[in-house]
Amino acid sequence: MHHKAGAFYSNGDTSVDAIGPYLFMQGKKGVRVTGDSALLAQFIAGVAKKDSIIELGSGSGAIMLQLAWQTPSPRIIGVEVEEASLKTSIE
């Protein structure tokens, strides 16, 4: 099911945004998921079959989550050193 692109829900400092078939809860400021993340994940999913995937600078982790849903890859590893992005990915 695809949602209409853009803000699905907004309240205070948080919004739920529709990107492709996914809904992402994210802060209105700082690191945000965009349509580029969805496009990159679709491309990687098309070429990654059973290999491990490592994403350097994984930010919010949105691409890794999309890959986990789209690929049979046994291992998806994200590496992030920026503390704000790491906190967002854990939440």
Side-chain angles (χ1 to χ4, degrees):
M1 173 181 187
H2 282 268
H3 302 282
K4 184 177 178 182
F8 188 74
Y9 170 80
S10 181
N11 184 7
D13 294 333
T14 304
S15 69
V16 176
D17 299 298
I19 300 172
Y22 309 107
L23 295 175
F24 291 94
M25 181 183 293
Q26 53 189 348
K28 290 182 179 176
K29 296 181 180 177
V31 177
R32 295 185 48 85
V33 179
T34 66
D36 291 345
S37 301
L39 291 172
L40 180 58
Q42 286 178 348
F43 171 77
I44 294 169
V47 296
K49 300 300 177 199
K50 295 182 182 178
D51 297 327
S52 295
I53 299 170
I54 299 175
E55 180 185 9
L56 303 176
S58 58
S60 65
I63 293 173
M64 293 186 322
L65 287 173
Q66 292 175 69
L67 288 171
W69 292 320
Q70 295 177 17
T71 69
S73 202
R75 285 180 63 174
I76 300 173
I77 301 166
V79 178
E80 181 56 62
V81 296
E82 184 182 63
E83 191 170 332
S85 296
L86 182 60
K87 182 180 175 188
T88 300
S89 69
I90 293 170
E91 293 174 350

Coordinates of all heavy atoms in Angstrom, one line a residue:
M1 N 0.8 -1.2 0.0 CA 0.0 0.0 0.0 C 0.9 1.2 0.0 O 1.7 1.4 0.9 CB -0.9 0.0 1.2 CG -1.7 1.2 1.4 SD -2.7 1.1 2.9 CE -3.6 2.6 2.8
H2 N 0.7 2.1 -1.0 CA 1.4 3.3 -1.0 C 0.6 4.5 -0.4 O -0.6 4.5 -0.7 CB 1.8 3.7 -2.5 CG 3.0 2.9 -2.9 ND1 4.3 3.4 -2.8 CD2 3.1 1.7 -3.5 CE1 5.1 2.5 -3.3 NE2 4.4 1.4 -3.7
H3 N 1.3 5.3 0.3 CA 0.6 6.5 0.9 C 0.9 7.7 0.0 O 2.0 7.7 -0.6 CB 1.1 6.7 2.3 CG 0.8 5.6 3.2 ND1 -0.4 5.3 3.8 CD2 1.7 4.6 3.7 CE1 -0.3 4.2 4.5 NE2 0.9 3.7 4.5
K4 N 0.1 8.7 0.1 CA 0.4 9.9 -0.7 C 1.7 10.5 0.0 O 1.8 10.6 1.2 CB -0.7 10.9 -0.5 CG -0.5 12.2 -1.3 CD -1.8 13.1 -1.3 CE -1.5 14.3 -2.0 NZ -2.6 15.3 -1.9
A5 N 2.7 10.9 -0.9 CA 3.9 11.4 -0.3 C 3.7 12.7 0.5 O 2.8 13.5 0.2 CB 4.9 11.7 -1.5
G6 N 4.5 12.9 1.5 CA 4.4 14.1 2.3 C 4.0 13.7 3.7 O 4.0 12.6 4.2
A7 N 3.7 14.8 4.5 CA 3.4 14.6 5.9 C 2.0 13.9 6.0 O 1.0 14.3 5.5 CB 3.3 15.9 6.6
F8 N 2.1 12.8 6.7 CA 0.9 11.9 6.9 C 0.2 12.4 8.2 O -1.0 12.4 8.3 CB 1.3 10.5 7.1 CG 0.2 9.5 7.2 CD1 -0.5 9.1 6.0 CD2 -0.1 8.9 8.3 CE1 -1.5 8.2 6.1 CE2 -1.1 7.9 8.4 CZ -1.8 7.6 7.3
Y9 N 1.0 12.8 9.2 CA 0.5 13.3 10.5 C 1.6 14.2 11.0 O 2.8 14.0 10.9 CB 0.3 12.1 11.4 CG 0.0 12.5 12.8 CD1 -1.3 13.0 13.2 CD2 1.0 12.5 13.8 CE1 -1.6 13.3 14.5 CE2 0.7 12.8 15.1 CZ -0.6 13.3 15.5 OH -0.8 13.7 16.7
S10 N 1.2 15.3 11.7 CA 2.1 16.2 12.3 C 1.6 16.7 13.6 O 0.4 17.0 13.8 CB 2.3 17.4 11.4 OG 3.3 18.3 11.9
N11 N 2.5 16.7 14.7 CA 2.1 17.2 16.0 C 3.3 17.6 16.7 O 4.2 16.9 16.9 CB 1.4 16.0 16.7 CG 0.9 16.4 18.1 OD1 0.9 17.6 18.4 ND2 0.4 15.5 18.9
G12 N 3.3 18.9 17.1 CA 4.4 19.5 17.8 C 5.7 19.4 17.1 O 5.8 19.9 16.0
D13 N 6.7 18.7 17.6 CA 8.1 18.6 17.0 C 8.2 17.3 16.2 O 9.3 17.1 15.7 CB 9.1 18.6 18.1 CG 9.2 19.9 18.8 OD1 8.8 21.0 18.2 OD2 9.6 19.9 20.0
T14 N 7.2 16.5 16.0 CA 7.3 15.2 15.3 C 6.3 15.2 14.2 O 5.2 15.7 14.3 CB 6.9 14.1 16.3 OG1 7.8 14.2 17.4 CG2 7.1 12.7 15.7
S15 N 6.7 14.5 13.1 CA 5.8 14.2 12.0 C 5.9 12.8 11.6 O 6.9 12.1 11.9 CB 6.1 15.2 10.8 OG 7.3 14.8 10.2
V16 N 4.8 12.3 11.0 CA 4.9 11.0 10.4 C 4.8 11.2 8.9 O 3.8 11.7 8.4 CB 3.7 10.1 10.9 CG1 3.7 8.7 10.2 CG2 3.8 9.9 12.4
D17 N 5.8 10.8 8.2 CA 5.9 11.1 6.7 C 5.8 9.9 5.9 O 6.4 8.8 6.2 CB 7.2 11.9 6.4 CG 7.3 13.2 7.2 OD1 6.5 14.0 6.9 OD2 8.2 13.3 8.0
A18 N 5.1 9.9 4.8 CA 4.9 8.8 3.9 C 6.0 8.9 2.8 O 6.1 9.9 2.2 CB 3.6 8.9 3.2
I19 N 6.8 7.9 2.7 CA 7.9 7.8 1.7 C 7.7 6.4 1.1 O 8.0 5.4 1.7 CB 9.3 8.0 2.3 CG1 9.3 9.4 2.9 CG2 10.3 7.8 1.2 CD1 10.6 9.6 3.7
G20 N 7.2 6.3 -0.2 CA 6.9 5.0 -0.8 C 5.9 4.3 0.0 O 4.9 5.0 0.5
P21 N 6.0 3.0 0.3 CA 5.0 2.3 1.0 C 5.2 2.4 2.6 O 4.5 1.8 3.3 CB 5.2 0.9 0.6 CG 6.7 0.8 0.2 CD 7.0 2.2 -0.3
Y22 N 6.2 3.2 3.0 CA 6.6 3.3 4.4 C 6.2 4.6 5.1 O 6.1 5.6 4.4 CB 8.1 3.1 4.5 CG 8.7 1.9 3.8 CD1 9.4 2.1 2.6 CD2 8.4 0.6 4.3 CE1 9.9 1.0 2.0 CE2 8.9 -0.5 3.6 CZ 9.6 -0.3 2.5 OH 10.1 -1.4 1.8
L23 N 5.9 4.5 6.3 CA 5.6 5.7 7.2 C 6.8 5.8 8.2 O 7.2 4.8 8.8 CB 4.3 5.5 7.9 CG 3.1 5.4 7.1 CD1 1.8 5.2 8.0 CD2 2.9 6.7 6.3
F24 N 7.4 7.0 8.2 CA 8.5 7.2 9.1 C 8.1 8.3 10.1 O 7.7 9.4 9.8 CB 9.7 7.7 8.4 CG 10.3 6.6 7.5 CD1 10.0 6.5 6.2 CD2 11.2 5.7 8.1 CE1 10.5 5.5 5.4 CE2 11.8 4.7 7.3 CZ 11.4 4.6 6.0
M25 N 8.2 8.0 11.5 CA 8.1 9.0 12.5 C 9.4 9.7 12.7 O 10.4 9.0 12.9 CB 7.6 8.4 13.8 CG 7.4 9.5 14.9 SD 7.0 8.8 16.5 CE 5.4 8.1 16.1
Q26 N 9.4 11.0 12.5 CA 10.7 11.7 12.6 C 10.5 13.1 13.1 O 9.4 13.7 13.0 CB 11.4 11.7 11.3 CG 10.6 12.2 10.1 CD 11.3 12.0 8.8 OE1 12.5 11.6 8.7 NE2 10.6 12.2 7.7
G27 N 11.6 13.7 13.7 CA 11.5 15.0 14.2 C 11.4 16.0 13.0 O 11.9 15.7 11.9
K28 N 10.8 17.1 13.3 CA 10.7 18.1 12.2 C 12.0 18.8 11.9 O 12.2 19.4 10.9 CB 9.6 19.2 12.5 CG 8.2 18.6 12.5 CD 7.2 19.6 12.8 CE 5.8 19.0 12.8 NZ 4.8 20.0 13.2
K29 N 13.0 18.8 12.9 CA 14.3 19.4 12.7 C 15.3 18.3 12.8 O 15.1 17.2 13.3 CB 14.6 20.4 13.8 CG 13.6 21.6 13.7 CD 14.0 22.6 14.8 CE 13.0 23.8 14.7 NZ 13.3 24.7 15.8
G30 N 16.5 18.5 12.2 CA 17.6 17.6 12.3 C 17.6 16.6 11.1 O 17.1 16.8 10.1
V31 N 18.1 15.4 11.4 CA 18.2 14.3 10.4 C 16.8 13.9 10.0 O 16.0 13.6 10.9 CB 19.0 13.1 11.0 CG1 19.0 12.0 10.0 CG2 20.4 13.5 11.4
R32 N 16.5 13.8 8.7 CA 15.2 13.4 8.2 C 15.3 12.5 7.1 O 16.2 12.5 6.3 CB 14.4 14.6 7.8 CG 14.0 15.6 9.0 CD 13.1 16.7 8.6 NE 12.0 16.3 7.8 CZ 10.8 15.9 8.3 NH1 10.7 15.8 9.6 NH2 9.8 15.6 7.6
V33 N 14.4 11.5 7.0 CA 14.4 10.6 5.9 C 13.7 11.3 4.7 O 12.7 12.0 4.9 CB 13.6 9.3 6.3 CG1 13.5 8.3 5.1 CG2 14.2 8.7 7.5
T34 N 14.2 11.0 3.5 CA 13.6 11.6 2.3 C 13.4 10.5 1.3 O 13.7 9.3 1.5 CB 14.6 12.6 1.7 OG1 15.8 12.0 1.2 CG2 15.0 13.7 2.7
G35 N 12.8 10.9 0.1 CA 12.6 10.0 -0.9 C 13.8 9.4 -1.5 O 13.8 8.2 -2.0
D36 N 15.0 10.1 -1.4 CA 16.3 9.5 -1.8 C 16.6 8.3 -1.1 O 17.2 7.3 -1.6 CB 17.4 10.6 -1.6 CG 17.2 11.8 -2.5 OD1 16.5 11.7 -3.5 OD2 17.9 12.8 -2.3
S37 N 16.3 8.2 0.2 CA 16.5 7.0 1.0 C 15.8 5.8 0.5 O 16.3 4.7 0.3 CB 16.1 7.2 2.5 OG 16.8 8.3 3.0
A38 N 14.5 6.0 0.1 CA 13.7 4.9 -0.4 C 14.2 4.5 -1.8 O 14.3 3.3 -2.1 CB 12.2 5.4 -0.6
L39 N 14.6 5.4 -2.6 CA 15.2 5.1 -4.0 C 16.5 4.3 -3.8 O 16.7 3.3 -4.5 CB 15.4 6.3 -4.8 CG 14.1 7.0 -5.3 CD1 14.5 8.4 -5.9 CD2 13.3 6.1 -6.2
L40 N 17.4 4.7 -2.9 CA 18.6 4.0 -2.7 C 18.4 2.6 -2.2 O 19.0 1.6 -2.7 CB 19.5 4.8 -1.8 CG 20.9 4.2 -1.5 CD1 21.7 4.0 -2.7 CD2 21.7 5.1 -0.5
A41 N 17.5 2.5 -1.3 CA 17.2 1.1 -0.7 C 16.6 0.2 -1.8 O 17.0 -1.0 -1.9 CB 16.2 1.2 0.4
Q42 N 15.8 0.7 -2.7 CA 15.2 -0.1 -3.8 C 16.3 -0.5 -4.7 O 16.3 -1.7 -5.2 CB 14.2 0.7 -4.5 CG 12.9 0.8 -3.8 CD 11.8 1.6 -4.5 OE1 12.1 2.3 -5.5 NE2 10.6 1.6 -4.1
F43 N 17.3 0.4 -5.0 CA 18.4 0.0 -5.9 C 19.2 -1.1 -5.3 O 19.5 -2.1 -5.9 CB 19.2 1.2 -6.2 CG 20.5 0.9 -6.9 CD1 20.5 0.6 -8.3 CD2 21.7 0.8 -6.2 CE1 21.7 0.3 -8.9 CE2 22.9 0.5 -6.9 CZ 22.9 0.2 -8.2
I44 N 19.6 -0.9 -4.0 CA 20.4 -1.9 -3.3 C 19.7 -3.2 -3.2 O 20.3 -4.3 -3.4 CB 20.8 -1.4 -1.9 CG1 21.8 -0.1 -2.1 CG2 21.5 -2.5 -1.1 CD1 22.0 0.6 -0.8
A45 N 18.4 -3.2 -2.9 CA 17.7 -4.4 -2.8 C 17.7 -5.2 -4.1 O 17.6 -6.4 -4.1 CB 16.2 -4.1 -2.4
G46 N 17.7 -4.5 -5.2 CA 17.7 -5.1 -6.5 C 19.0 -5.8 -6.9 O 19.0 -6.8 -7.7
V47 N 20.1 -5.4 -6.2 CA 21.4 -6.0 -6.5 C 21.9 -6.9 -5.4 O 22.8 -7.8 -5.6 CB 22.5 -5.0 -6.9 CG1 22.1 -4.3 -8.2 CG2 22.7 -4.0 -5.8
A48 N 21.4 -6.7 -4.2 CA 21.9 -7.5 -3.0 C 21.0 -8.7 -2.9 O 19.8 -8.6 -2.6 CB 21.8 -6.6 -1.8
K49 N 21.5 -9.9 -3.0 CA 20.7 -11.1 -2.9 C 20.9 -11.8 -1.6 O 20.1 -11.7 -0.7 CB 21.0 -12.0 -4.1 CG 20.7 -11.4 -5.4 CD 19.2 -11.0 -5.5 CE 19.0 -10.4 -6.9 NZ 17.8 -9.6 -6.9
K50 N 22.1 -12.4 -1.4 CA 22.4 -13.1 -0.1 C 23.6 -12.6 0.5 O 24.1 -13.2 1.4 CB 22.5 -14.6 -0.4 CG 21.2 -15.2 -0.9 CD 21.3 -16.7 -1.1 CE 20.0 -17.2 -1.6 NZ 20.1 -18.6 -1.9
D51 N 24.1 -11.5 0.1 CA 25.4 -10.9 0.6 C 25.1 -10.1 1.9 O 23.9 -9.6 2.1 CB 26.1 -10.0 -0.4 CG 26.5 -10.7 -1.6 OD1 26.9 -11.9 -1.5 OD2 26.5 -10.1 -2.7
S52 N 26.1 -9.9 2.7 CA 25.9 -9.0 3.9 C 26.0 -7.6 3.3 O 26.7 -7.3 2.4 CB 27.1 -9.2 4.9 OG 27.0 -10.5 5.4
I53 N 25.3 -6.7 4.0 CA 25.3 -5.3 3.6 C 25.8 -4.4 4.7 O 25.3 -4.6 5.9 CB 23.8 -4.8 3.2 CG1 23.3 -5.7 2.1 CG2 23.8 -3.4 2.9 CD1 21.8 -5.5 1.8
I54 N 26.7 -3.5 4.5 CA 27.2 -2.6 5.5 C 27.0 -1.2 5.0 O 27.4 -0.9 3.8 CB 28.7 -2.8 5.7 CG1 29.0 -4.2 6.2 CG2 29.3 -1.7 6.7 CD1 30.5 -4.5 6.4
E55 N 26.3 -0.4 5.8 CA 26.1 1.0 5.4 C 26.9 1.9 6.3 O 26.7 1.9 7.5 CB 24.6 1.3 5.6 CG 24.3 2.8 5.2 CD 22.9 3.2 5.4 OE1 22.1 2.5 6.0 OE2 22.6 4.3 5.0
L56 N 27.9 2.6 5.7 CA 28.7 3.5 6.5 C 28.0 4.9 6.5 O 27.6 5.4 5.5 CB 30.1 3.6 5.8 CG 30.8 2.3 5.7 CD1 32.2 2.5 5.0 CD2 31.1 1.7 7.1
G57 N 27.9 5.5 7.7 CA 27.2 6.7 7.8 C 25.7 6.5 7.7 O 25.0 7.1 6.9
S58 N 25.2 5.6 8.5 CA 23.8 5.1 8.3 C 22.7 6.1 8.8 O 21.5 5.8 8.7 CB 23.6 3.7 9.0 OG 23.9 3.8 10.4
G59 N 23.1 7.2 9.5 CA 22.2 8.2 9.9 C 21.1 7.6 10.7 O 21.3 7.0 11.8
S60 N 19.8 7.8 10.3 CA 18.7 7.4 11.1 C 18.4 5.9 11.1 O 17.6 5.4 11.8 CB 17.4 8.2 10.7 OG 17.1 7.8 9.3
G61 N 19.1 5.2 10.1 CA 18.9 3.8 10.0 C 17.7 3.5 9.0 O 17.4 2.3 8.9
A62 N 17.1 4.5 8.4 CA 16.0 4.2 7.5 C 16.3 3.3 6.3 O 15.5 2.5 6.0 CB 15.4 5.6 7.0
I63 N 17.5 3.5 5.7 CA 17.8 2.6 4.6 C 18.0 1.2 5.1 O 17.5 0.3 4.4 CB 19.1 3.2 3.9 CG1 18.8 4.5 3.2 CG2 19.6 2.2 2.8 CD1 20.0 5.2 2.6
M64 N 18.6 1.0 6.2 CA 18.8 -0.4 6.7 C 17.4 -1.0 7.0 O 17.3 -2.2 6.7 CB 19.6 -0.3 8.0 CG 21.1 0.1 7.8 SD 22.1 -0.1 9.2 CE 21.1 0.4 10.5
L65 N 16.5 -0.3 7.6 CA 15.2 -0.9 7.8 C 14.5 -1.3 6.5 O 13.9 -2.3 6.4 CB 14.3 0.2 8.6 CG 14.6 0.4 10.0 CD1 13.8 1.5 10.6 CD2 14.4 -0.9 10.8
Q66 N 14.6 -0.4 5.5 CA 13.9 -0.7 4.3 C 14.6 -1.9 3.6 O 13.9 -2.8 3.1 CB 14.0 0.5 3.3 CG 13.2 1.7 3.8 CD 13.4 2.9 2.9 OE1 13.0 2.9 1.8 NE2 14.0 3.9 3.4
L67 N 15.9 -2.0 3.7 CA 16.6 -3.2 3.2 C 16.2 -4.5 3.9 O 16.1 -5.5 3.3 CB 18.1 -3.0 3.2 CG 18.7 -2.0 2.2 CD1 20.1 -1.7 2.5 CD2 18.5 -2.5 0.8
A68 N 16.0 -4.4 5.2 CA 15.6 -5.5 6.0 C 14.3 -6.1 5.5 O 14.0 -7.3 5.5 CB 15.6 -5.2 7.5
W69 N 13.4 -5.1 5.1 CA 12.1 -5.5 4.6 C 12.1 -6.0 3.2 O 11.3 -6.8 2.8 CB 11.1 -4.4 4.7 CG 10.7 -3.9 6.1 CD1 10.5 -4.7 7.2 CD2 10.6 -2.6 6.5 NE1 10.2 -3.9 8.3 CE2 10.3 -2.6 7.9 CE3 10.7 -1.3 5.9 CZ2 10.0 -1.5 8.7 CZ3 10.5 -0.2 6.7 CH2 10.1 -0.3 8.1
Q70 N 13.1 -5.6 2.4 CA 13.1 -5.9 1.0 C 14.0 -6.9 0.5 O 13.9 -7.4 -0.6 CB 13.4 -4.6 0.2 CG 12.4 -3.5 0.3 CD 12.8 -2.2 -0.4 OE1 13.7 -2.2 -1.3 NE2 12.2 -1.1 -0.1
T71 N 15.0 -7.4 1.3 CA 16.0 -8.3 0.9 C 16.1 -9.5 1.8 O 15.7 -9.5 3.0 CB 17.4 -7.7 0.8 OG1 17.8 -7.4 2.2 CG2 17.4 -6.4 0.1
P72 N 16.5 -10.6 1.2 CA 16.8 -11.8 2.1 C 18.2 -11.8 2.7 O 18.6 -12.8 3.2 CB 16.7 -13.0 1.0 CG 17.2 -12.4 -0.2 CD 16.7 -10.9 -0.2
S73 N 18.8 -10.6 2.7 CA 20.2 -10.5 3.2 C 20.3 -11.0 4.7 O 19.5 -10.5 5.5 CB 20.6 -9.1 3.1 OG 22.0 -9.0 3.1
P74 N 21.2 -11.9 5.0 CA 21.3 -12.4 6.3 C 21.8 -11.4 7.4 O 21.5 -11.5 8.5 CB 22.2 -13.6 6.2 CG 23.1 -13.3 5.0 CD 22.2 -12.5 4.1
R75 N 22.6 -10.4 6.9 CA 23.2 -9.4 7.8 C 23.2 -8.0 7.2 O 23.6 -7.8 6.1 CB 24.7 -9.8 8.1 CG 24.8 -10.9 9.0 CD 26.3 -11.2 9.3 NE 26.9 -10.1 10.0 CZ 28.2 -10.1 10.4 NH1 28.9 -11.2 10.2 NH2 28.7 -9.1 11.0
I76 N 22.6 -7.1 7.9 CA 22.6 -5.7 7.5 C 23.2 -4.9 8.7 O 22.6 -4.9 9.8 CB 21.2 -5.2 7.2 CG1 20.6 -6.1 6.0 CG2 21.2 -3.7 6.8 CD1 19.2 -5.8 5.7
I77 N 24.3 -4.3 8.5 CA 25.1 -3.6 9.5 C 25.1 -2.1 9.2 O 25.5 -1.7 8.1 CB 26.5 -4.2 9.6 CG1 26.4 -5.7 9.9 CG2 27.3 -3.4 10.7 CD1 27.7 -6.4 9.7
G78 N 24.8 -1.3 10.2 CA 24.9 0.2 10.0 C 26.0 0.7 10.9 O 26.1 0.3 12.1
V79 N 26.8 1.6 10.4 CA 27.8 2.3 11.2 C 27.6 3.8 11.2 O 27.4 4.4 10.2 CB 29.2 2.0 10.6 CG1 30.3 2.7 11.4 CG2 29.5 0.5 10.6
E80 N 27.4 4.4 12.4 CA 27.2 5.8 12.5 C 28.0 6.3 13.7 O 28.0 5.8 14.8 CB 25.7 6.1 12.7 CG 25.3 7.5 12.9 CD 25.8 8.4 11.7 OE1 25.3 8.1 10.6 OE2 26.6 9.2 11.9
V81 N 28.7 7.4 13.5 CA 29.5 8.0 14.6 C 28.9 9.3 15.1 O 29.2 9.7 16.2 CB 31.0 8.3 14.1 CG1 31.6 7.0 13.8 CG2 31.0 9.3 13.0
E82 N 28.0 9.9 14.4 CA 27.4 11.2 14.9 C 26.3 10.8 15.9 O 25.4 10.1 15.7 CB 26.7 11.9 13.7 CG 26.1 13.3 14.2 CD 25.5 14.0 13.0 OE1 24.5 13.5 12.5 OE2 26.0 15.0 12.7
E83 N 26.5 11.4 17.1 CA 25.7 11.0 18.3 C 24.2 11.3 18.0 O 23.3 10.4 18.4 CB 26.1 11.7 19.5 CG 25.5 11.2 20.8 CD 26.1 11.8 22.0 OE1 27.3 12.2 22.0 OE2 25.4 11.9 23.0
A84 N 23.8 12.4 17.4 CA 22.4 12.7 17.2 C 21.7 11.7 16.3 O 20.6 11.3 16.5 CB 22.2 14.1 16.7
S85 N 22.4 11.4 15.2 CA 21.9 10.4 14.3 C 21.8 9.0 14.9 O 20.8 8.3 14.7 CB 22.8 10.3 13.0 OG 22.8 11.5 12.3
L86 N 22.8 8.6 15.7 CA 22.8 7.4 16.4 C 21.6 7.3 17.3 O 20.9 6.3 17.3 CB 24.1 7.1 17.1 CG 24.2 5.8 17.9 CD1 24.1 4.7 16.9 CD2 25.5 5.8 18.6
K87 N 21.3 8.3 18.1 CA 20.2 8.4 19.0 C 18.9 8.2 18.2 O 18.0 7.4 18.6 CB 20.2 9.7 19.7 CG 19.0 9.8 20.7 CD 19.1 11.1 21.5 CE 17.8 11.2 22.4 NZ 17.7 12.5 23.0
T88 N 18.7 8.9 17.1 CA 17.5 8.8 16.2 C 17.4 7.3 15.7 O 16.2 6.8 15.8 CB 17.6 9.7 15.0 OG1 17.8 11.1 15.5 CG2 16.4 9.6 14.1
S89 N 18.4 6.7 15.3 CA 18.3 5.3 14.8 C 17.9 4.3 15.9 O 17.2 3.4 15.6 CB 19.6 4.9 14.2 OG 20.6 4.7 15.1
I90 N 18.3 4.6 17.1 CA 17.9 3.7 18.2 C 16.5 3.8 18.6 O 15.8 2.9 18.9 CB 18.9 3.9 19.4 CG1 20.3 3.5 19.1 CG2 18.3 3.2 20.7 CD1 21.3 3.9 20.1
E91 N 16.0 5.1 18.5 CA 14.6 5.3 18.8 C 13.7 4.7 17.8 O 12.7 4.2 18.0 CB 14.3 6.8 18.9 CG 15.0 7.5 20.1 CD 14.9 9.0 20.1 OE1 14.4 9.6 19.1 OE2 15.3 9.6 21.1

